[in-house]
Amino acid sequence: MVELILFVVLSTVVIGGALSMILGRNPVYAAMGMLATLFGLAVIYVIQLAHFVAVVQVIVYAGAVMTLFLFVIMFIGVDKAQSLDEGLAWQRPAVLGVVAAILAMVGGLVLSGRWEWITADRVALSGQVIEIPVPPNGTIESIGESLINRWLLPFEATAVLLIIASVGAIVLAFYRPRRLQSVGDDAE
Amino acid sequence: MTDYLWLIIVLPLAGAVLNHFVGRRIGEPRSGWLAVVGVGSAFVYGAVAAVPFFRGGDVAEEAVTSVHLFDWIPGIGATAELLWDPLAATMVMVVTGVGTLIHIYAIGYMHGDERFSRFFTYLNFFAASMLILVLADNFAVLFVGWELVGLSSYLLISFWFSRPSAAAAGKKAFIVNRIGDFGFMVALMIIFVSFGTLSYGPILENPGDVIGVGTATAIGLLLLVGAVGKSAQIPLYIWLPDAMEGPTPVSALIHAATMVTAGVYIVARTASIFELSTVAGGAVATVGALTALLAATIAIAQRDIKRVLAYSTISQLGYMFMAVGVGGYVAGVFHLVTHAVFKALLFLGAGAVIHGMGDEQDMMKMGGLRKKMPLTWITMGIATLSIAGIPPLAGFWSKDEILAVLFERGGYFTVLWAVGLLTALLTAFYMGRQYFLVFEGKARWDEGVEPHESPRVMTNPLVVLAALTVLVGLINTPFRLSFENFLEPAFEAVNIAQGPESAGSITLLAVVSVLAGVAGLVMAYLLYGRADETTRQRMLGLVRRPMFVWENAYWVDRVYGRLVVAPGKRIAVWMAEFVDQVVIDGLVNGVGGTVRRIGGWVRPLQTGFVRSYGVLLAGGAVALVAWIMSRGL
Amino acid sequence: MTVTPDWYMTLAAVLFLIGTIGLLLRNNALMMFMSVELMLNAVNLTFVTAGGAVGNLDGQMAVFFVLVVAAAEVAVGLAIIVSVFRSRSTATVDDLAELKG
C-alpha cells in the first residue's frame, strides 16, 4: 500500500520533471526539472533497497553533474529563454513516426500475448507461481565486496577512464585556436 | 643425322637473329654473306641427311624418321615434332638450294639499300619459317610455319614501306592469306575432332578407318581453301600480282619458288585424306585448271615484266594443283621442283634486266637487250624455252607428265587435260612475247637509260640456275623414274596416279604438248619477233576486245572491291561511329552517370544537421529491434 | 495491486522515450545533453529493477559503472560544448552543419 502511494507520487515527480525539462524554454528551469527527476529516482532506488546507488546518484549525478550543467549554462549565457521553433522541416513528423513505431512495437508485443518480454513476469514464463524475490540489500559492504571480488577489472578500468576524461577536459579547456593566440600576442 | 634435324630450321633462324642484332654493324656485304651461310649450311645438312633416300629401297624406307622435339599443347594434340621423309627432303633442298642462290643474288641486287641487313634478316627468317612448314610432323607445327611464312611475305613485300603501293600490297597479301587461313584452321579443327590428335602419323596412316567420305571431303575442301590463299589460286590469287612491289629476290624466292608452293605441298602431304574423297580431289584439280587458264590469258596482255611472271606463276601453280588433285603427286612435286628452278631464274633475270635498265619495268620500253646483257639474255632464253615445254629442258618433262596423268585418268579429267594443253600454248606465247619484247627487236628505251650487264654476284646464280633447268628435268623421265622412286617412301599410303603405260601413248601425248609449246613460240615470234609495227597493230586489232579484258585482269580487283571491301569498310565505319562511340561509350559513361545519379539521390541524407542524423539513428535502432523481435515471434 | 518490477520498468521506458524526444527535438546543445542524461537515468532504473527482480547485485553494479562513465562523459562533453561556443559563439546545434554533403 505504502509502496503504491510512493510509486504514484514518485513517478509523477519523475515524469513531471522530465517533461518540464524537454518542454521548458529557459534552460535553467529545465535543469531544475532534471534535478527533480534525479531526486525522485534516488528515492526509487532506496525503495528498491539500492542504498548505495541512491546515495551516489544524489552526490554524483544531482550534485556534480547537474551543477556542472548549470555552470556551463550560465557561462555560455543561455540562461535566457530559448525559442522552441523547429528549424528543420520533417524533424517533428519524423520523431512522431519513430515514437509511433516504438509504441506500435510495444503494442504488438502486448497484443500478441508476450507481455512477459517486457515485464519478465516469471509466472507467465514457467507457469509456476514464484515468489517475487527479496531484492538484495545494496549496502556499501555488499557493493564493495562485489566490486573488489568480482568486478575488479572494470573498477580499475573506470579509474583509468576518469583520468582520461579529466585530462581531456583540461586540454579542451585550455585549448586556444592558434590565430586567436597570435592576435593576442601581437596585440600585447 | 636426324637427331639434329632441327638444325635445318635453327641455322637460318640464327642467321636472322644475328643479322637483326649485328647486321647493321657488320655492314654490306658481310651481313648478306652471313645470311647466305645461314641458308647454305641448312642446304648442306639437308643434302647429307637425304643421302639414305637416294639409295632407295629398304634403306630409304628405314630412313624415314619422326623426330620428337617436345610436348607442346597436349590438349589439342599439338606436339613439336619433325618428319624426315623424301617429300620433306625434296622441299628442304628446293627451299635451301634455290634459296641460297637467291640470297647470293640479293647481295648484288640490294646493294646500296639503306636497310640492307634488315632485308637479309627477313630473308633468313622466311627460310626458317618455310622449313618449319615443310619439316613438320604435326599439323600444329605446320600451321606455325604456315602463319610465319605469311608474316615473312608481308614483311618482305612491304620492305620499301615508304611507298604507299608497297605497304598496301603487303597488307593485301596478308589479309587475303588470312581468309585462306580461316579455312585451313577449320580443317585442322575437324581433323582434331575426328582423330583426337594432330600428328601426321596416326592421321595419315589409314584415315579411312577413322573418317568417312563426308568428313574427308570437308577436310579436303577446307584445306583447299587454305591452299588457295597461300598458293594464289582462284579466288584468292589477287595478292600475288600486287606482291611484285617487293624487291625482285623476294618475288623470286617467296612468290615463285617456295611459299606459294605450300598449298601444293599440303595437298601432297595429306594425300591419304584426299584419296578418300573424289569430290575434294576433283575440286582441287578443277580450281587448278581454271586458274591456270585464267592467269595465262591475263599474262598475255601485261606490260610490266614482273607482272607477266606473276601471272605465269599463278598459272603454273594451277598445273601443280591439277596434278595433285587427281593423285599425280609425283608429277605435281616434280613440276614444283622444275618450276622453282626456272621461275626463280626468270625472276632473277628480270631483276637483272630491271637493275640494268635503271629500275624500268615496262617491257614496251625495252628491246634489243641481247647485246647489252648477254649473260642475262642467254639464261632467260633458256628459262623461256623450259617453261614453254621444249625438250630436253626441265619444263618439258614435268609439264608433260602432268598432262599425261590427266589424260590417263580419263573421263571428266580429259577436259582438264585439254585446258592444260591450251594453257601450255598460251604459256609459250606470253613467255615468247616477253622474250622478244625485251631482248630482240629495236631499242625502245628512254633517254638517259644505259642498260648494262649486272655484276657477277648477280649473274653467277643465273648461270647456276640455267644449268639446273637444263639438267633437273632428267630426274624423272619416262625412261627412268628416279624421282618417283625417290618419293616412294613418302607416298606409301596412297596410289600415285600414273601416265599411260604404252610407249605409243606416251610419245603421242608428248608430241602433242611439244607442238602446243612450239606453236605458242612461233605465234609470239610472228607477232613480236618479226612483224613490224603496223602488221602487229593490225593483228592485235583483231583481238582488241579480249586483249582489253585481259589487260585489266578481268577487273577482278574492282569486283572484289565493290562486293567485299566496300561493305567491309562500311561495317567498320559503322562500328567505329555507332557501336564504339554510341553504344560502348554510352554504356561506360552510362555506368559512371548512373553511379553519379544514385549518389545524387543519397547525398541529401547528409544534411549536416546532427538532429536529422539522430532521427535516422533512432529509426534504425527501432527497425533493428523490431526485426529481432519479429524473428522471435 | 502490488507494485511489481514491471511498473518500474514501464516508468523507465517512459522516461527513455521522453529523453529520446527531447534529444531529437531541441536544438540547444545543452538541452540535448540533458536529454541524454535523462536516457541514461532511465537505463539505470531499468538495471536496478532488473537486478532486484533477478535477485542479485549485478544490476546495481551495472548502475555503478554507468554512473562513472556518465560522469566522465559529461565532463568531456561539456568541455567540447564550451570550446565550440568559444570559437563559434553559438550553442545551437543547427548552426554547426558544415559537414553537409
Side-chain angles (χ1 to χ4, degrees), chain B residues 200 203-208 211 216 266-277 329 491-495:
Chain B
Y200 285 174
I203 299 176
L204 300 175
E205 284 269 342
N206 247 319
I211 58 175
I266 54 159
V267 177
R269 209 16 119 199
T270 54
S272 45
I273 297 183
F274 275 95
E275 279 239 310
L276 296 173
S277 163
Y329 307 109
F491 290 106
E492 296 267 296
V494 293
N495 295 319

Side-chain angles (χ1 to χ4, degrees), chain B residues 290-311:
Chain B
L290 285 173
T291 312
L293 187 56
L294 179 88
T297 57
I298 299 177
I300 294 177
Q302 296 300 311
R303 284 173 67 136
D304 183 322
I305 193 174
K306 283 176 71 173
R307 286 217 162 205
V308 174
L309 295 176
Y311 283 107

Side-chain angles (χ1 to χ4, degrees), chain B residues 369-455:
Chain B
L369 287 177
R370 65 188 275 185
K371 298 197 191 69
K372 300 284 182 182
M373 322 178 167
L375 257 180
T376 314
W377 164 63
I378 294 182
T379 48
M380 278 197 79
I382 295 178
T384 309
L385 288 175
S386 186
I387 194 175
I390 307 297
L393 298 173
F396 162 69
W397 300 109
S398 56
K399 196 185 294 196
D400 187 60
E401 177 147 355
I402 295 182
L403 293 175
V405 166
L406 280 173
F407 188 79
E408 179 67 10
R409 271 298 287 260
Y412 163 71
F413 298 106
T414 323
V415 176
L416 297 189
W417 169 79
V419 168
L421 197 60
L422 176 60
T423 311
L425 193 152
L426 293 175
T427 308
F429 178 68
Y430 66 68
M431 288 311 298
R433 167 178 178 266
Q434 180 180 51
Y435 170 79
F436 287 115
L437 277 177
V438 174
F439 292 109
E440 303 279 348
K442 285 202 278 275
R444 294 186 302 273
W445 54 79
D446 293 335
E447 285 291 316
V449 174
E450 292 179 6
H452 55 274
E453 186 74 86
S454 305

